[in-house]
Amino acid sequence: NAGVTQTPKFRVLKTGQSMTLLCAQDMNHEYMYWYRQDPGMGLRLIHYSVGEGTTAKGEVPDGYNVSRLKKQNFLLGLESAAPSQTSVYFCASSYSTKREQYFGPGTRLTVT
Amino acid sequence: EDQVTQSPEALRLQEGESSSLNCSYTVSGLRGLFWYRQDPGKGPEFLFTLYSAGEEKEKERLKATLTKKESFLHITAPKPEDSATYLCAVLNSGGSNYKLTFGKGTLLTVNP
């Protein structure tokens, strides 16, 4: 099992450009999450999904959109990137909200 | 507001020198406490879940304990490969939703 995978691993964007981060999991988990990790801030939840076709806002959702068209995939979109979105993005999945989350390797995004 | 505070921020140990990391929390209704290990450039890796005060979990040189106000991660006779950032996260329930709040982590360095 690959677990949770993320593509791409690195990306540099100019302000105003758009991009989509892809997360895939092969554990048949219902729940999927997108986090960002910034120095001195800890992990913060952006959006999450409780099942195929559902999405919900987390702690810091502004400037991001998500989609969960297939159970195994969770996409994070940035429509108009800003320097404040420079961060490391992690995707995670879990069997339920009460159980441990399994994280992907992360995407390092720089917006100039 | 839920708060999770980890201390110390950084800890340097000699190989074989046992110590403990602290995670103190303030949440409205604890549903679980999670410990993760994060290596540089990688995603968090799940270690333990603790659900109630008095509970203990062990894995190799690591032992996690939980009280009503805090959790400790005890490291016995650490080795250089135990060097990593250790993250604590608490799960609480707010109505029908569950929220996971992460601490900022403790950076552990074990010197040979």
Side-chain angles (χ1 to χ4, degrees):
Chain A
N1 287 348
V4 179
T5 58
Q6 293 181 234
T7 53
K9 288 183 168 51
F10 302 93
R11 186 70 186 269
V12 178
L13 289 179
K14 294 185 185 300
T15 297
Q17 287 185 321
S18 63
M19 76 163 295
T20 300
L21 306 184
L22 172 63
C23 175
Q25 54 95 4
D26 62 2
M27 295 174 282
N28 202 34
H29 285 165
E30 288 291 339
Y31 296 80
M32 296 188 75
Y33 315 82
W34 276 107
Y35 291 89
R36 60 179 289 173
Q37 187 175 43
D38 301 291
M41 296 291 292
L43 283 157
R44 292 182 292 169
L45 183 65
I46 305 172
H47 286 282
Y48 64 99
S49 169
V50 301
E52 182 179 318
T54 74
T55 63
K57 294 180 180 180
E59 181 184 358
V60 289
D62 293 342
Y64 305 95
N65 57 76
V66 288
S67 64
R68 183 104 179 264
L69 299 179
K70 294 183 179 181
K71 184 177 182 179
Q72 64 268 33
N73 295 337
F74 196 27
L75 279 64
L76 178 71
L78 286 73
E79 291 186 347
S80 179
S84 60
Q85 293 177 306
T86 293
S87 187
V88 181
Y89 292 86
F90 289 102
C91 176
S93 71
S94 67
Y95 179 73
S96 78
T97 54
K98 304 177 190 180
R99 297 278 299 273
E100 66 276 10
Q101 296 180 14
Y102 293 89
F103 286 79
T107 295
R108 184 174 294 276
L109 174 66
T110 301
V111 183
T112 63
Chain B
E1 183 178 319
D2 302 335
Q3 285 193 329
V4 180
T5 303
Q6 292 190 245
S7 62
E9 291 185 10
L11 180 64
R12 283 186 175 273
L13 299 174
Q14 287 299 121
E15 185 172 0
E17 179 185 3
S18 301
S19 187
S20 297
L21 312 182
N22 178 263
C23 171
S24 63
Y25 59 88
T26 305
V27 296
S28 55
L30 183 71
R31 290 291 182 263
L33 186 141
F34 301 83
W35 281 99
Y36 288 86
R37 169 193 171 123
Q38 186 173 22
D39 293 301
K42 296 191 176 182
E45 176 187 348
F46 170 71
L47 292 174
F48 304 110
T49 308
L50 302 166
Y51 288 108
S52 58
E55 190 174 0
E56 299 181 351
K57 293 275 181 73
E58 284 189 71
K59 180 181 180 181
E60 296 182 354
R61 295 176 293 282
L62 301 177
K63 179 180 177 180
T65 62
L66 181 64
T67 72
K68 290 185 179 180
K69 296 290 185 183
E70 58 192 348
S71 176
F72 291 94
L73 185 65
H74 307 277
I75 304 176
T76 302
K79 298 182 177 182
E81 53 261 43
D82 294 322
S83 297
T85 296
Y86 290 85
L87 303 175
C88 164
V90 295
L91 182 69
N92 76 326
S93 62
S96 60
N97 297 318
Y98 288 85
K99 179 184 174 185
L100 192 65
T101 303
F102 281 85
K104 296 178 182 179
T106 293
L107 175 61
L108 174 66
T109 303
V110 182
N111 296 314

